[in-house]
């Protein structure tokens, strides 16, 4: 497994992540969603550099322009609900992609302990395609693992990318161990060292789903 932390190279990506974290900006849910979307766009661009390309001849008004164009059949998957604006950012750039959706949620056994449950999956066939699994917050890594395993019921992709905005060190270690022998690339925009007692990333940004769409009951 390969891990790429885009924060190791300074770019405007840092500004978008900073605004997601900032308590003085977070109360603007429209801006929060747009920043999540922007980060999805940047990651889609970076991931596109790994695609296969095929030379094609494009007819312009004045002649033929040879252009290398991506040859991958892409499926973008997201984990509901927090992943929706992140997914949209990927789709803005990879606009010919197919789409898949997985519902994963924490079912608490008590105040601090929970299991991850998968309730719903809608996906095209994945056989020999490029699968991108998006989830903005990678806290424990369990949701990403279970969502990916659920998606594999739709076929075996030719290549796989996991994408998150903020990951915890614990989740990074967990995912790297679970998929150490698999050709999966994990892309992140920030790495935080801690989880609190509720398994939320510290400093993180809070609950991404609530910040994007309002608090849930």
């Amino acid at each position: 497994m390969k891990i790429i932390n885009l924060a190791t190279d300074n770019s405007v990506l840092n500004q978008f992540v900073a605004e997601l974290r900032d308590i003085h900006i977070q109360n603007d849910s429209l801006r929060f969603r747009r920043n999540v979307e922007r980060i999805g766009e940047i990651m889609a661009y970076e991931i596109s550099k790994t695609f296969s390309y095929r030379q094609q001849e494009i007819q312009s008004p004045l002649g033929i322009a040879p252009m290398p164009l991506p040859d991958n059949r892409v499926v973008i998957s997201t984990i509901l609900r927090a992943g929706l604006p992140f997914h949209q950012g990927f789709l803005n750039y990879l606009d010919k992609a197919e789409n898949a959706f997985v519902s994963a949620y924490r079912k608490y056994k008590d105040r601090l302990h929970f299991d991850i449950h998968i309730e719903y999956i809608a996906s095209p066939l994945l056989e020999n395609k490029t699968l991108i699994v998006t989830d903005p917050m990678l806290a424990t890594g369990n949701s990403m693992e279970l969502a990916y395993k659920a998606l594999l019921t739709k076929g075996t992709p030719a290549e796989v990318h996991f994408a998150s905005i903020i990951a915890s060190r614990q989740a990074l270690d967990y995912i790297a161990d679970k998929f150490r022998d698999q050709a999966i690339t994990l892309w992140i925009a920030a790495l935080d060292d801690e989880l609190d007692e509720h398994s939320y990333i510290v400093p993180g940004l809070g609950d991404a789903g609530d910040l994007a769409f309002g608090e849930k009951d």
Side-chain angles (χ1 to χ4, degrees), residues 47 72 91 100 119 139 147 158 167 194 196 203 206:
I47 291 174
N72 296 51
L91 192 58
E119 271 195 342
E194 298 179 43
D196 68 11

Side-chain angles (χ1 to χ4, degrees), residues 50-61:
T50 72
F51 291 171
S52 298
Y53 284 76
R54 179 165 53 91
Q55 196 82 349
Q56 298 186 38
E57 294 187 346
I58 305 301
Q59 179 70 59
S60 83

Side-chain angles (χ1 to χ4, degrees), residues 1-2 148 157-161 179-186:
M1 181 169 189
K2 185 177 183 181
Y148 174 58
E159 58 183 274
V160 179
H161 300 271
F179 300 105
R180 60 182 176 276
D181 297 324
Q182 298 188 35
I184 296 173
T185 303
L186 170 62

Side-chain angles (χ1 to χ4, degrees), residues 4-186:
I4 297 177
N5 182 357
L6 296 175
T8 58
D9 294 321
N10 288 330
S11 74
V12 71
L13 178 69
N14 295 347
Q15 179 65 40
F16 301 146
V17 175
E19 291 187 3
L20 291 182
R21 295 185 191 268
D22 193 329
I23 59 172
H24 303 293
I25 298 175
Q26 284 186 344
N27 59 358
D28 184 343
S29 59
L30 175 62
R31 187 168 175 181
F32 184 88
R33 290 193 303 271
R34 180 62 185 122
N35 280 332
V36 172
E37 189 176 334
R38 284 168 166 171
I39 294 169
E41 291 170 349
I42 291 170
M43 284 197 175
Y45 170 76
E46 293 294 335
I47 291 174
S48 76
K49 295 177 183 178
T50 72
F51 291 171
S52 298
Y53 284 76
R54 179 165 53 91
Q55 196 82 349
Q56 298 186 38
E57 294 187 346
I58 305 301
Q59 179 70 59
S60 83
L62 300 178
I64 301 293
M67 297 288 299
L69 299 180
D71 206 27
N72 296 51
R73 295 182 298 158
V74 178
V75 178
I76 306 167
S77 171
T78 199
I79 300 175
L80 302 173
R81 66 179 169 149
L84 287 173
F86 197 34
H87 181 104
Q88 184 60 52
F90 277 84
L91 192 58
N92 288 347
Y93 278 23
L94 307 176
D95 55 292
K96 295 182 180 179
E98 297 178 278
N99 298 271
F101 300 92
V102 178
S103 171
Y105 70 97
R106 295 180 175 189
K107 186 173 183 180
Y108 282 86
K109 296 181 284 189
D110 55 43
R111 192 174 69 88
L112 299 178
H113 301 93
F114 59 87
D115 293 322
I116 301 294
H117 284 253
I118 302 290
E119 271 195 342
Y120 170 85
I121 178 171
S123 173
L125 293 177
L126 300 176
E127 200 69 30
N128 296 321
K129 296 177 181 177
T130 297
L131 174 64
I132 303 173
V133 186
T134 69
D135 188 9
M137 305 298 289
L138 196 64
T140 65
N142 295 111
S143 294
M144 184 73 83
E145 176 195 10
L146 293 177
Y148 174 58
K149 288 181 176 179
L151 287 163
L152 289 181
T153 63
K154 305 299 182 180
T156 304
E159 58 183 274
V160 179
H161 300 271
F162 294 165
S164 290
I165 297 174
I166 301 177
S168 74
R169 178 73 62 181
Q170 178 178 322
L172 220 62
D173 293 342
Y174 180 84
I175 291 292
D177 179 64
K178 286 291 181 180
F179 300 105
R180 60 182 176 276
D181 297 324
Q182 298 188 35
I184 296 173
T185 303
L186 170 62

